[in-house]
Amino acid sequence: MEWGISWTPRGGTVKAWTHVARTDAITAEVIRMAKAVRDRNPATPVPTCPAWDLRELIVHTGGIHRWVTAMVRDLAPTRYERAEMDLGIPELAGEHASWLEAGAAPLAEALRSRPPEAAMWSWGGDQHVRFWSRRQLHESVIHRVDAELALGIAPEIDETIAADGVEEFLDVLPYARWRPQLAELHGGGDSIAWQADTGAAWLITLTPEGFRYERSSALGDVTVRTATAADLMLLAWRRRSYEDYAVEGDVKLLQWWVDRSAI
């Protein structure tokens, strides 16, 4: 059984995400990113990834695509060491955009060639191929946005992709074990609501065991209101600040969550 989200934006149509649908969407996102960065200064700083310039962002994104391609192709039972792989990174900066784009087709081919329920290693809770179609879609979206923001381009994210992206963030968050602060994400029932004018809404509840979430338009102890699910996705991944939106309730609780949920 595939994990997915079926959500109807106000005035829109239902989108049921599947492994194949996510795989198709990855290719479009990579092409959009490659188009944005082509012939741009590789030394352009990337404010949303402060340690990187545009070249490093491209190399990271294209490298992840090739790393995942190899693991999915082999149904790898353990993690491959990306640093030990020959990723074919070009020496000339002018070739980076084409190299990034060239990684999309092999990734899509590998994902389509394996059943979504096939077992393999992942760093998340879903140890199947389908983890990687979902993860690579949203990784590609966020890094495409990083590039566009660095270049002064106003980013746009499809609402149904963004809604799935919010839930994917909440699904993988407990497994980002390289972030010790995540161990503090628990509580006694405090709640955080994320609500978009398009109809997407989630309620996050802190429990003694961690946190849970549900699709709900209920108010939380603190509620963030945005125009779109895309805003909420960017907020979740810290590409936007909650200060950019309307916030009602316990702002200290929201800041506490933001400080501990960064991955």
Side-chain angles (χ1 to χ4, degrees):
M1 182 150 184
E2 291 199 48
W3 292 6
I5 181 173
S6 180
W7 171 66
T8 308
R10 289 174 186 162
T13 57
V14 171
K15 175 68 176 184
W17 284 104
T18 65
H19 173 69
V20 171
R22 291 185 178 111
T23 298
D24 291 343
I26 291 167
T27 300
E29 287 297 329
V30 177
I31 290 171
R32 286 179 70 178
M33 181 174 175
K35 180 180 179 180
V37 302
R38 184 166 280 112
D39 300 325
R40 298 295 192 125
N41 183 354
T44 301
V46 181
T48 49
C49 301
W52 291 348
D53 58 20
L54 200 59
R55 177 193 176 280
E56 289 166 308
L57 176 66
I58 297 167
V59 167
H60 168 82
T61 307
I64 290 287
H65 292 159
R66 287 159 172 80
W67 174 63
V68 173
T69 297
M71 290 192 296
V72 170
R73 181 191 59 221
D74 300 345
L75 293 179
T78 58
R79 181 186 187 277
Y80 285 1
E81 292 299 326
R82 195 163 77 250
E84 298 174 1
M85 298 175 64
D86 180 4
L87 302 173
I89 301 169
E91 294 184 7
L92 297 177
E95 298 176 358
H96 286 147
S98 295
W99 172 81
L100 173 67
E101 187 169 350
L107 175 58
E109 182 179 353
L111 288 166
R112 291 192 190 101
S113 73
R114 298 291 181 257
E117 68 277 7
M120 66 169 293
W121 176 84
S122 84
W123 60 264
D126 188 10
Q127 298 281 303
H128 301 90
V129 167
R130 64 192 174 213
F131 170 89
W132 288 110
S133 56
R134 196 181 194 199
R135 177 81 287 275
Q136 287 311 288
L137 170 56
H138 300 306
E139 173 122 8
S140 299
V141 168
I142 288 296
H143 288 323
R144 186 259 297 171
V145 167
D146 288 329
E148 290 176 338
L149 289 172
L151 295 166
I153 301 169
E156 295 181 0
I157 305 174
D158 175 86
E159 277 291 279
T160 55
I161 289 179
D164 189 48
V166 170
E167 292 204 350
E168 196 257 356
F169 171 82
L170 293 169
D171 286 338
V172 300
L173 182 58
Y175 299 95
R177 297 182 180 91
W178 60 91
R179 295 286 296 177
Q181 297 91 335
L182 294 178
E184 300 176 33
L185 286 178
H186 56 81
D190 296 328
S191 58
I192 302 162
W194 292 346
Q195 299 187 2
D197 292 344
T198 51
W202 292 268
L203 184 68
I204 302 164
T205 303
L206 297 161
T207 73
E209 294 76 31
F211 71 88
R212 66 174 185 268
Y213 75 89
E214 59 188 304
R215 298 178 204 167
S216 172
S217 58
L219 299 179
D221 292 303
V222 61
T223 299
V224 183
R225 300 186 187 279
T226 70
T228 65
D231 291 320
L232 292 174
M233 183 179 181
L234 296 179
L235 177 64
W237 285 103
R238 291 166 62 101
R239 268 53 182 189
R240 295 291 299 269
S241 167
Y242 67 80
E243 295 176 343
D244 297 331
Y245 307 108
V247 178
E248 303 167 4
D250 189 351
V251 177
K252 289 184 178 179
L253 173 62
L254 181 58
Q255 184 63 60
W256 179 90
W257 167 272
V258 168
D259 290 343
R260 288 158 181 80
S261 63
I263 58 173

